[in-house]
Amino acid sequence: MANIRDLKKDINFVLGDIIDAVYIWEAINPKEDHSKSEAIIDDAIATFDDLIAKVNDNKVENRSKHFKAVNAELEERGKALIDRVNAL
């Protein structure tokens, strides 16, 4: 892990791209029910808030291990959101 700034950028880019993909799907499918896609956006925003709060937590003992865990959680939760987008 290079630094905190890069981790925050990764979180922003990954979740931002997922939200963009949902908006594109909604634009392509205007007649579809958007309740599932809106739920994905809400979950992506909640994930963003949760991960940024974990990155900003200064009370951890081993910061590099903590950041690696946050990065792994980003991958896991990001893949789950992508799978939900693909299921639309």
Side-chain angles (χ1 to χ4, degrees):
M1 182 77 33
N3 58 29
I4 297 172
R5 181 182 55 209
D6 290 339
L7 180 57
K8 287 182 179 181
K9 284 182 180 181
D10 288 344
I11 292 169
N12 191 30
F13 290 147
V14 168
L15 296 173
D17 286 346
I18 291 170
I19 292 171
D20 286 343
V22 172
Y23 283 144
I24 290 169
W25 181 87
E26 287 180 346
I28 292 172
N29 301 300
K31 295 182 181 179
E32 295 286 330
D33 182 27
H34 292 175
S35 62
K36 290 182 181 179
S37 60
E38 290 171 6
I40 294 171
I41 292 171
D42 292 341
D43 290 344
I45 292 170
T47 300
F48 176 84
D49 292 342
D50 185 40
L51 293 177
I52 291 296
K54 287 181 180 182
V55 169
N56 291 332
D57 185 13
N58 292 325
K59 298 178 181 168
V60 295
E61 291 182 19
N62 188 347
R63 290 188 58 84
S64 67
K65 186 175 181 181
H66 175 69
F67 292 146
K68 287 179 183 178
V70 170
N71 194 25
E73 185 176 352
L74 171 63
E75 282 188 40
E76 176 185 321
R77 293 172 82 173
K79 286 180 183 179
L81 287 169
I82 291 169
D83 290 342
R84 288 175 59 192
V85 171
N86 290 335
L88 292 175

